[in-house]
Amino acid sequence: MGAIFKFFASLRLTVVLLALSMVLIFFGTLDQVEYGIWHTQKLYFESFLVVWSYPEQWLYYDKLFWFHLPMPGGYLLGGLLFVNLLAAHFTRFKLTFRKSGIFLVHFGLVLLLVSELLTDLVSQESQMPVDEGGRSNYSQAVRENELVFIDRSDPEHDTVHSIPASLLKPGKRINVPDTPLSIRTVRYFPNSNVGRAQAPVADNLADSGAAVKMNIVATPTEVTYAESEINTATAYVEVSGPDGILGTWLVSNVIDERFPPQTVTLDEQSWEMALRFTRHYYPFEIELIDFKHDKYPGTEIPFNFSSEVMVHHEDEFKDQKALIYMNHPLRYEGLTFYQASFANQDKTSIFQVVRNPGWILPYISVLLMGLGMCVQFGMHFFKFLGKRSH
């Protein structure tokens, strides 16, 4: 037991882990060119193990295609650094006034590691497009999808039954929550080309809905990781009731409100079915009053984007007017709204919506480490001045 504790408290282990962290960052930076920031972060820094493969675009790929380099992921390295720091602290460190600065630096570092893990596990990012004069009470996670069955029979509100797209495994049967329906995924394409076929398709897997009425087909294609592109997720879904199969529908996140609704009917009850970006609903609405896209005079170079918004809450005492622009987000109800992009000839503003309960921790940890360094170096400085005066 003592040997294990001594191993985890070792300074050599610290050096090895820091060196491996540099290697991980190096190869993660290389793969960022192909996979983009979001996927690289998941692949390298939010995993326990990652395997780097020789890139197909590099020279001599035909000779080095076999080269694969396994390495520990961010969670494993971060976790071991956390244990190493605590073990070393309890083994060799004794809190005294002369070492108070070092204690603050170590405590800030521990808090930084915890805040990073907390951010990875509980934070959410999504987008909210709002037209000028329009309102929205939900944001969309454009890298996640959900299969929804919407019951619109109540005139006061809709009831949405949601199944995450990550559960749509071919051949797997899933019961739709709070309904007598069940589904079986026939095919699922993370990315595809969806369009009308030039001629009737004899072996179309769908026998109901828009695919039949409009002769729509889907062809799988490679997943894209580009920051400016989205993947067209598509699935052929067989829906069953208690007495048997009701049909097979083609659903896709590009078959949206612009298309006729795809309806599943069982006895007197109907549900609209759709595959769409995962939505996060809020108890308030964001109204876009005005969006400004300012440019330098005589050029097309932008120097400012700003959105004047009004927040309409269910509790009217929480209504709030705000101006959102670069580096000046709106923080409201635990969410942060950033000015992210625009569309529709400057008539639509797109907000990045971030929910991160631990957003304050990195600020506190950096302050603690900065304060610790000031205290420690300050004591050495005054000690040095004292020696010189004598």
Side-chain angles (χ1 to χ4, degrees), residues 98 376-390:
R98 294 180 60 185
Q376 202 63 33
F377 286 121
M379 285 193 291
H380 284 285
F381 180 69
F382 286 113
K383 184 178 180 182
F384 170 75
L385 290 181
K387 286 182 178 178
R388 288 199 63 181
S389 64
H390 288 86

Side-chain angles (χ1 to χ4, degrees), residues 10 145 225 342 344 375 385:
S10 166
N145 294 276
Y225 300 103
F342 60 96
N344 192 24
V375 169
L385 290 181

Side-chain angles (χ1 to χ4, degrees), residues 10 36 42 45 56 72 82 92 103 106 133 247 290 334 352 358 374 389:
S10 166
K42 295 286 181 186
F45 306 114
E56 191 174 348
F82 181 78
R92 293 191 291 269
F103 175 80
H106 285 185
D290 185 35
Q352 189 77 10
C374 289
S389 64

Side-chain angles (χ1 to χ4, degrees), residues 118-340:
L118 188 66
T119 298
D120 290 344
L121 295 179
V122 302
S123 67
Q124 290 180 344
E125 289 194 29
S126 53
Q127 291 186 349
M128 176 186 284
V130 189
D131 297 332
E132 275 188 338
R135 297 184 180 189
S136 179
N137 69 335
Y138 66 87
S139 58
Q140 303 177 119
V142 296
R143 299 190 183 281
E144 300 169 7
N145 294 276
E146 60 180 353
L147 179 67
V148 293
F149 290 79
I150 306 173
D151 179 359
R152 300 190 188 278
S153 58
D154 192 319
E156 299 294 328
H157 65 272
D158 297 334
T159 303
V160 180
H161 311 281
S162 171
I163 299 173
S166 58
L167 299 180
L168 301 181
K169 309 293 185 185
K172 184 179 180 181
R173 182 164 294 281
I174 303 172
N175 293 322
V176 181
D178 303 319
T179 75
L181 304 177
S182 65
I183 63 163
R184 183 178 70 87
T185 305
V186 180
R187 295 273 180 85
Y188 181 79
F189 307 138
N191 194 17
S192 61
N193 294 318
V194 176
R196 287 190 173 186
Q198 298 300 317
V201 180
D203 58 346
N204 196 337
L205 295 173
D207 57 17
S208 304
V212 175
K213 295 177 182 175
M214 305 175 70
N215 201 27
I216 297 175
V217 294
T219 306
T221 187
E222 290 188 4
V223 173
T224 178
Y225 300 103
E227 297 296 321
S228 58
E229 299 177 8
I230 63 169
N231 289 299
T232 302
T234 304
Y236 289 93
V237 178
E238 178 188 271
V239 183
S240 298
D243 298 325
I245 297 172
L246 301 175
T248 302
W249 280 259
L250 170 65
V251 290
S252 172
N253 58 14
V254 296
I255 302 179
D256 50 23
E257 292 83 1
R258 296 169 296 178
F259 292 77
Q262 304 209 81
T263 306
V264 178
T265 301
L266 177 65
D267 299 328
E268 301 298 324
Q269 179 70 56
S270 294
W271 297 265
E272 282 186 22
M273 180 174 60
L275 184 67
R276 68 186 188 187
F277 296 128
T278 301
R279 292 185 180 182
H280 303 288
Y281 287 93
Y282 309 113
F284 56 84
E285 292 182 326
I286 299 289
E287 178 187 5
L288 178 61
I289 300 172
D290 185 35
F291 173 73
K292 288 185 177 178
H293 175 187
D294 301 318
K295 304 173 185 176
Y296 288 101
T299 72
E300 291 298 316
I301 302 173
F303 76 90
N304 183 48
F305 304 99
S306 62
S307 298
E308 183 181 2
V309 300
M310 183 71 193
V311 184
H312 301 273
H313 198 280
E314 292 176 351
D315 180 356
E316 61 181 17
F317 292 103
K318 295 183 178 180
D319 287 359
Q320 181 177 335
K321 194 173 185 179
L323 182 65
I324 303 173
Y325 55 102
M326 188 174 293
N327 297 327
H328 288 78
L330 165 65
R331 299 189 189 279
Y332 188 83
E333 295 273 302
L335 300 166
T336 306
F337 295 81
Y338 297 92
Q339 181 68 59

